[in-house]
Amino acid sequence: MASTCVVGLQWGDEAKGKIVDLLCDQHDAVVRYQGGANAGHTVVADGVTYKLSLIPTGILRPGTEGVIGNGVVIHPPALLKEIETLAAQGVEMGSRLHVSDRAHVILPYHMAEERLTEESASAADHLGTTRRGIGPCYKDKVGRVHGVRVGDLYHPERFREHIERIVAFKNRLLLAMLPDYEPIEAGAVAEEYLGYAERLRPYVRDTTTWLHHAIGQGKRLLFEGAQGSLLDVDHGSYPYVTSSNSSAAGIAAGSGIPTRHIDRWIGVVKAYTTRVGGGPFPTEQDNEVGERIRKVGREYGTVTGRPRRCGWFDAVAARYSARVSGSTEISLMLLDVLSGIPELQVAVAYEDESGRKVAEMPGHLSDLERCRPVYETLPGWDSDLTGVRTWSDLPVEARNYVAYLTKQIGVPVSIVSVGPERRQTIILGNDAPRV
Ligand code: IMP
């Protein structure tokens, strides 16, 4: 056993891509198990910025294989474009990319269906999604009748008939509900997707079997979560979540690999909190502090470019998601962004409007919306951290902040990141603060 998972413990964008990239050397394959092109990973290596969405970050290392598991939803033109963009940057997939034949396919009507709710007259229906058709595709997956899997694209006659029936249904629905809807032509969509399938053919296989063989050969797998645990459809801030199990709970279902094969469970958090899209965010700072974090941390969505909502570190939320995702160690990201803020606040509990303490993350939206954070204030530091490479070189206030978060989350910090580059990383050993 030497497999690892790297999962975000907040609302996504925790800079997981950098940690996955750092750990690639110690693993043979990186596996995506949920989500789709709603995810965005930015990796900076040797001054070159790579943006990945569907393709596992591991592909940037020449010897590492990348697996897009059955739990992922795939928009074939997005995947092909990503393959081409990376090839233009000198990253060739060759036979290193493996795409599951059981993964579901995003089709043009999924984007239209997403508009039904995201552009509806009632703001209460807007979730602030990435508009990549993720939710509607997962709906069709669990609804079964209209689901299309990658493997279906290699049975053209059956696929054409299936698309004919689906598109007739979707057109009727969408014409009735969306005033500006242009009906989709089933034949054209079928041929377009059959064309994508030919181009993807070299990569498509039964990835579950492939992964089990890899384990049998002693290969080490790195499971890369997209989004964060608080966006998990079951365990996150429902309904303001994504449509998949983005916590570690999704690994077994989305890859076919039982989690007993994993022995390193890394939870990734930022030194503060961000969120894109709608939904409750108790520690949000819609003020100068939030503005400053957004500016210094360049907190704009990788996929949509939307400004991210920014706020203080929420230890109640991180404690909860570290439990759900089984984290045994924490990677603390973007600590450098907090330099120059005189006092830092950390939410250690919530209270409701009557001042009653709420120690745990509430499951219901109304309860979470009513929560106000109870803060502990810690002294900040002035100096720039981006050049620091060892724990002892961090200013004492920064070390105290990390030690405080360790105690609050209840899980040791093993990595502190002080910039986007691989080398801007502090690996903690015996010097790590105790829980
Ligand atoms: P969807 O995944 O596009 O359906 O969007 C659902 C919610 O998840 C929205 O609030 C999105 O902003 C959020 N979301 C989806 N993917 C990401 C991500 O990679 N990072 C951060 N938030 C995300």
Side-chain angles (χ1 to χ4, degrees):
M1 265 205 318
S3 291
T4 304
C5 72
V6 175
V7 173
L9 298 185
Q10 294 161 316
W11 280 286
D13 310 314
E14 298 92 349
K16 299 173 287 293
K18 168 170 168 172
I19 298 303
V20 171
D21 179 61
L22 279 173
L23 294 172
C24 273
D25 282 354
Q26 301 156 35
H27 296 83
D28 301 291
V30 182
V31 187
R32 272 283 303 271
Y33 58 89
Q34 47 69 231
N38 50 349
H41 292 309
T42 307
V43 177
V44 183
D46 303 324
V48 183
T49 302
Y50 300 93
K51 288 197 186 289
L52 297 112
S53 196
L54 269 163
I55 298 180
T57 319
I59 219 78
L60 299 177
R61 302 270 183 165
T64 311
E65 316 235 13
V67 178
I68 299 181
N70 59 279
V72 175
V73 287
I74 297 175
H75 188 217
L79 176 56
L80 285 162
K81 187 156 178 260
E82 210 173 316
I83 293 173
E84 279 160 19
T85 307
L86 285 172
Q89 288 186 292
V91 184
E92 289 295 342
M93 301 300 128
S95 57
R96 294 188 296 129
L97 179 66
H98 311 275
V99 177
S100 172
D101 55 358
R102 292 180 175 91
H104 276 250
V105 178
I106 297 180
L107 284 122
Y109 46 78
H110 288 135
M111 318 292 178
E113 284 179 305
E114 194 153 21
R115 286 174 48 214
L116 279 179
T117 44
E118 288 299 297
E119 290 174 15
S120 98
S122 158
D125 290 339
H126 304 176
L127 295 175
T129 71
T130 58
R131 309 267 190 125
R132 297 294 186 273
I134 306 291
C137 182
Y138 276 117
K139 263 197 223 173
D140 279 345
K141 172 178 174 173
V142 294
R144 293 147 301 158
V145 177
H146 295 144
V148 174
R149 307 207 292 182
V150 169
D152 295 330
L153 304 175
Y154 301 97
H155 298 276
E157 284 320 309
R158 207 175 164 145
F159 173 67
R160 286 191 185 99
E161 284 167 25
H162 192 33
I163 285 291
E164 197 73 50
R165 283 195 306 277
I166 301 173
V167 167
F169 178 95
K170 302 273 183 186
N171 276 348
R172 272 204 307 280
L173 175 86
L174 290 161
L175 272 171
M177 304 280 292
L178 273 181
D180 61 343
Y181 178 68
E182 296 270 347
I184 289 169
E185 217 268 285
V189 170
E191 295 320 308
E192 180 188 338
Y193 274 65
L194 290 171
Y196 297 142
E198 275 321 301
R199 291 163 62 196
L200 288 174
R201 194 185 278 279
Y203 310 111
V204 175
R205 57 195 53 108
D206 172 353
T207 51
T208 304
T209 302
W210 188 92
L211 285 167
H212 278 279
H213 279 311
I215 289 174
Q217 291 163 358
K219 291 198 173 156
R220 296 152 305 172
L221 308 177
L222 179 51
F223 294 89
E224 174 180 23
Q227 293 87 46
S229 300
L230 299 176
L231 287 171
D232 185 290
V233 67
D234 283 286
H235 305 288
S237 50
Y238 192 86
Y240 291 96
V241 291
T242 191
S243 300
S244 62
N245 285 117
S246 50
S247 68
I251 294 174
S255 67
I257 297 300
T259 48
R260 67 184 162 83
H261 292 289
I262 299 175
D263 54 6
R264 204 173 163 194
W265 299 76
I266 304 179
V268 188
V269 294
K270 286 184 196 186
Y272 47 91
T273 311
T274 65
R275 165 158 218 176
V276 215
F281 180 177
T283 60
E284 181 168 15
Q285 297 298 301
D286 192 8
N287 53 28
E288 270 172 34
V289 171
E291 192 54 52
R292 181 191 169 113
I293 292 176
R294 185 175 310 115
K295 205 165 142 224
V296 180
R298 290 186 289 274
E299 293 293 356
Y300 295 88
T302 316
V303 175
T304 59
R306 289 180 290 178
R308 295 180 185 140
R309 300 158 64 193
C310 299
W312 297 121
F313 189 86
D314 185 340
V316 184
R319 233 173 0 238
Y320 165 73
S321 47
R323 269 192 215 147
V324 168
S325 280
S327 310
T328 53
E329 56 185 289
I330 298 289
S331 284
L332 181 68
M333 314 304 287
L334 291 129
L335 186 64
D336 53 298
V337 172
L338 297 181
S339 290
I341 302 180
E343 287 189 329
L344 303 171
Q345 298 202 292
V346 176
V348 293
Y350 298 149
E351 59 182 26
D352 62 18
E353 13 356 26
S354 57
R356 236 192 338 252
K357 202 164 157 195
V358 181
E360 298 294 339
M361 186 94 181
H364 199 277
L365 179 68
S366 320
D367 297 329
L368 184 56
E369 275 170 351
R370 274 201 296 270
C371 281
R372 278 188 286 270
V374 177
Y375 287 116
E376 196 63 51
T377 303
L378 283 88
W381 56 91
D382 267 333
S383 58
D384 174 16
L385 305 188
T386 56
V388 177
R389 299 291 174 265
T390 60
W391 172 250
S392 54
D393 284 341
L394 280 172
V396 64
E397 295 84 358
R399 274 183 278 147
N400 286 342
Y401 184 72
V402 178
Y404 190 75
L405 297 193
T406 303
K407 287 233 177 308
Q408 282 296 322
I409 306 170
V411 179
V413 174
S414 57
I415 297 174
V416 175
S417 174
V418 290
E421 293 272 354
R422 283 175 186 159
R423 60 194 161 79
Q424 291 175 303
T425 308
I426 302 167
I427 308 285
L428 305 190
N430 291 335
D431 44 5
R434 303 235 178 277
V435 170

